[in-house]
Each structure stands twice: as structure tokens, then as C-alpha cells.
Amino acid sequence: MSRHGQGLSYFLMQFLVLCLGKWVGPTYKGVSCKHSPLSSHDISSLTHMLAQKMDSPLRHELNLALGLARQAALISRTVLSGFLLTHQKSEVDSVTKSDFSPVTVADFAIQALLAGTLSKAFPDDGLVGEESADELRKDPRLLQKVAAVLKVAKGWEARDENHVCDVIDLCKGEGKGRTWVFDPIDGTKTFLKGQQYAINVALLAEGEGWRGREEVMSVVACPLLDWTLGAMGEATVINDASVDKTGKGAVIYCVKGHGVFVEPLFNKTDDEKPRRVPQHAGQVTAIEELKSVTCWQSLDSGVDTMHERVAERLGMDFPGNDLLGWVNRWVCLALGLANTTIWVYKKRERKAKIWDHAGAMLLFKEVGGKITDVDGKDIDLTQGRLLGQNFGFLAAPQRVHELVLEAVKEAMRERENLNTVSGST
């Protein structure tokens, strides 16, 4: 098609959007209107076509992050397949960190891929990742396996094994200015069981957020999650064992202000266009509409009965969706399978890790959710590797967030009173 023909086609597409009503894709140069008579399939297709022309300053970053997420997911699937086929733990060689959480070959390899690629593409950006290469330097056999697994991915090659360790350790800092934050495998415990896990890639930058630092982009790969979940607005409840039988998985992504999209992670066909997730949380006006996601199966860091008490106060089914990994919980909220999560740590000293939340939280905000800690404070992303100024999490639809917060505070006051009485007897 000639340049003139392309321009005319694009002009006609804009005119069509303006005449037929509001399309639900990313805003393109102010094009928006209301009450679209288009079907959801038509809207999705139109959104995708216009999104390709969106003049976003983060277009390059998003495309690169999407490609990296797919390569990282391929690494994780390769490692996991070897383990599940042979049933030999040595195939997923892991070490244990000081907080007793396991780290696998996949964790190390994915962080090396992300750090190596992003540091080359954006040398002035900061990098913050979960893993350190300290254990790899002590264990040559494990390092060899990581280097071998990295060859599965395309786009970045390590010069040698020392280079693998060096790029992993680029992520040891706290990140200043524009910073990439990633968790190579969120949910390593469930990953080792062949259950739900996620790969989290986030971009933070200076802006209008809390103290000038905010999430501006999120890409999350969920290799075992069905990408069609929530597409029909069905009341689906999932847990870590809810594994996608199609093998396609899901990648969920957003740029701030442009909405959330989901598409197949693997084996995407031409007919499978990115699906825009509606602003479902923004439409909730009553507590009767609340749907929970939590981690009931493993309360190692949370108060045993607190979350259940709050759910009872709100009349919310509990536990609802039950997922170990925080990134998977944020995805569950974004897709509309849930719209509320509450987490009260057992101890005030317990602080969340930035890579478990940064970026993934933006997904829920983009569909009308509001996120604070359980004291009602905004999440502060300026404190380095830990969210040092916050205690716990409370995510709920914007219009009912205050009601949920009050229920949490009442439950916390009751618990403090009981502790006081019990401590004085």
C-alpha cells in the first residue's frame, strides 16, 4: 500500500472510532468518545490496530520487555520440563537463601538474561533484581548449568561464565532515577511443583507518583495461567494448581494511562489479538461486589486469622482465589478474578520486597483499583529494595477502598486489644 493509502486508511479508522463511540484501547492523541456499539471482538481488534500506531514514549521499552518475558518464560519452561519429565531434583538444582527461600537455575538464568539485555539497551537505567551471584561463584557446577540453560534464549549471549555472574550482580543496587525492577521467578516454591509462578518486569521512573517515583510500565509472564480467564466476566476462582491445559500461558502488560492487555505467551496465532481488560474495579460501588484473592495455604508471614475476620466483616467469600506468589495475586486482581486483597504481616518489622510488587501493582491500578498499606498510606517506592515505609497491603476497588480499610483497622484494633488482655493475665 502506498504512503498515501496508508494515511487514508488510518484517517478512516480514526473517523470510524469517532463515529461509533468509545473504543477501549489506549488513548491515541485524545481520540475518545462514549457508548460503543462495537462487539468486544471488534473493539479488541480495533484497539490492537490503533495501539500499533500509538506514539508512546515507552513503545520501545514495552516491545523489548514483551520479547524478554517470552524468552524468560521459555527458559523457565525448559528447566521445569526437564524436572517434571525425570522427577529428579538435580534437574532444577536449587540453593537456599538466608530467608529459606529456594533459588533455581531458572531464577539465575532469567535474571542474567534480563539484566544483560536491559543494561545493554538502556545503559543509563538502574537495575534491581532479587538474586545475587554469590552462590553461583561458589558452585561451578551450578554456574555451568545456568550458562547452558541461557543458550535456550535468543537475543543475548554471555561472553563466559564470569560474565553471567557479573550481569546478575548488576541488580544488587537500590536503583536511582529510571529503574528496571524484576523478579525472575515469583513463586519458586510452586514453580518446583509445576504450579503457578510468574516472571515480573517493571519500569519505574520519576513522575507524579509517591514522592516523585512511580510505576510506568509492567510486563508479567505467567507461563501456566490461562490467558482467557476473565474474558467473559465469569466467576472463576483459581489456586496454584489451576494450570492452563492449552500450554499457551499468559502475558499481561500495561503502560501507565493506557490500560491493561493480555495475550497468549506461547504459540500465539494471528486470530489471537491482545485483549483489553475492562476497568472492572472502577465499576464496583458496593462491598457486596468484593471478591478475594489471598494466600491461605501458606501464612508464614501473615496473621493467621486476621484476613478471615476482615472477610467476615465485609461479607466476602474467603479465601476465594488462593495463590502463593504476590505477582500472581496482582495478576488475578487485574484480570477481574478478584478485586480485593488484604495482607497484615505478623510483625511490624516485616517489610515487603520491591520486586514482588513493583509494576504488577500498576496492573490493578489501571483497571480501577486503589492500593495502600493497611495503615492507609500510599506505597512508597523510594526506599530501595524493601518497601520500608509501609506495613502490609490493602488493594480494593477505588470507590469502596475506604470501607475495606476501616474493616481492616477495626480487626487490627480488636487483635491489639486481645493481645493486651492476654499479655496482662
Side-chain angles (χ1 to χ4, degrees):
M1 181 182 292
S2 68
R3 185 175 301 177
H4 175 74
Q6 289 177 336
L8 180 59
S9 295
Y10 178 60
F11 172 79
L12 289 174
M13 190 180 298
Q14 273 195 312
F15 180 77
L16 180 66
V17 173
L18 289 168
C19 290
L20 291 179
K22 184 177 181 180
W23 60 287
V24 291
T27 302
Y28 180 81
K29 296 184 184 292
V31 175
S32 64
C33 27
K34 298 182 179 179
H35 308 303
S36 172
L38 296 174
S39 70
S40 59
H41 180 269
D42 291 335
I43 289 173
S44 178
S45 299
L46 187 56
T47 295
H48 178 61
M49 287 187 288
L50 283 175
Q52 300 309 304
K53 297 178 178 293
M54 184 173 62
D55 188 19
S56 167
L58 295 178
R59 181 178 176 182
H60 176 50
E61 286 85 343
L62 178 61
N63 288 337
L64 179 59
L66 284 169
L68 278 173
R70 287 191 161 88
Q71 293 300 314
L74 182 61
I75 288 175
S76 72
R77 192 166 70 169
T78 300
V79 172
L80 185 60
S81 297
F83 171 56
L84 295 178
L85 285 173
T86 62
H87 297 281
Q88 294 177 4
K89 192 175 189 307
S90 61
E91 295 296 325
V92 186
D93 286 282
S94 64
V95 296
T96 302
K97 294 188 291 187
S98 58
D99 62 358
F100 303 106
S101 59
V103 191
T104 69
V105 166
D107 290 90
F108 289 123
I110 291 171
Q111 181 154 316
L113 171 70
L114 296 174
T117 305
L118 292 172
S119 62
K120 183 176 181 180
F122 307 106
D124 295 329
D125 289 359
L127 299 174
V128 173
E130 180 173 10
E131 311 307 343
S132 160
D134 292 348
E135 294 298 331
L136 286 182
R137 297 182 193 280
K138 299 176 188 175
D139 189 339
R141 184 186 63 85
L142 186 60
L143 177 55
Q144 287 173 2
K145 289 208 167 194
V146 171
V149 168
L150 267 169
K151 294 178 181 177
V152 170
K154 299 176 181 178
W156 180 79
E157 292 184 13
R159 293 190 298 271
D160 51 38
E161 292 173 0
N162 286 331
H163 188 206
V164 173
C165 292
D166 290 343
V167 295
I168 288 174
D169 282 342
L170 290 175
C171 309
K172 279 186 171 182
E174 299 190 351
K176 303 295 181 183
R178 204 175 89 147
T179 301
W180 294 87
V181 179
F182 35 80
D183 190 343
I185 298 281
D186 181 60
T188 302
K189 292 178 182 178
T190 43
F191 169 73
L192 289 167
K193 298 177 184 178
Q195 297 181 341
Q196 289 297 335
Y197 66 97
I199 298 160
N200 187 31
V201 181
L203 181 60
L204 308 182
E206 296 180 359
E208 298 175 358
W210 179 246
R211 295 183 181 175
R213 189 170 177 79
E214 62 180 357
E215 304 158 289
V216 294
M217 192 187 79
S218 171
V219 174
V220 176
C222 298
L224 300 179
L225 187 70
D226 183 350
W227 80 283
T228 66
L229 285 173
M232 305 303 293
E234 67 276 20
T236 304
V237 175
I238 64 170
N239 57 42
D240 287 313
S242 303
V243 175
D244 174 28
K245 292 180 171 51
T246 70
K248 286 183 173 289
V251 58
I252 304 93
Y253 55 95
C254 72
V255 171
K256 184 184 177 186
H258 294 289
V260 175
F261 292 82
V262 59
E263 61 183 79
L265 181 61
F266 302 113
N267 304 320
K268 179 182 172 186
T269 67
D270 291 339
D271 293 334
E272 292 172 328
K273 305 299 183 184
R275 171 170 59 86
R276 168 76 180 245
V277 180
Q279 281 206 324
H280 57 85
Q283 298 169 7
V284 173
T285 59
I287 59 173
E288 289 79 13
E289 301 172 72
L290 297 181
K291 298 180 291 184
S292 169
V293 59
T294 189
C295 179
W296 188 239
Q297 60 175 311
S298 177
L299 280 168
D300 57 340
S301 69
V303 179
D304 294 348
T305 58
M306 176 70 68
H307 311 94
E308 190 172 16
R309 287 179 188 169
V310 173
E312 288 175 357
R313 285 178 178 274
L314 296 169
M316 182 171 58
D317 289 342
F318 189 86
N321 300 274
D322 190 1
L323 298 165
L324 175 66
W326 260 112
V327 176
N328 279 118
R329 281 181 252 175
W330 293 120
V331 167
C332 182
L333 289 163
L335 292 179
L337 306 180
N339 54 31
T340 304
T341 193
I342 300 147
W343 198 253
V344 183
Y345 288 119
K346 290 180 180 178
K347 299 180 179 179
R348 278 272 169 187
E349 308 86 70
R350 179 67 183 256
K351 302 300 178 185
K353 299 166 184 175
I354 193 168
W355 46 79
D356 288 335
H357 306 279
M361 293 187 296
L362 181 62
L363 295 171
F364 185 51
K365 295 175 188 175
E366 284 290 302
V367 295
K370 180 177 179 179
I371 304 169
T372 66
D373 65 11
V374 294
D375 294 322
K377 295 165 58 180
D378 289 331
I379 305 301
D380 184 351
L381 298 172
T382 68
Q383 300 299 306
R385 299 174 70 82
L386 299 179
L387 304 182
Q389 295 300 311
N390 295 109
F391 177 59
F393 291 89
L394 193 167
Q398 290 178 357
R399 299 187 200 182
V400 297
H401 185 278
E402 287 301 318
L403 295 174
V404 178
L405 177 59
E406 186 53 38
V408 172
K409 288 182 175 180
E410 287 177 5
M412 290 173 65
R413 284 193 292 267
E414 281 184 4
R415 178 171 173 270
E416 289 173 1
N417 291 338
L418 285 173
N419 288 345
T420 301
V421 171
S422 119
S424 61
T425 58

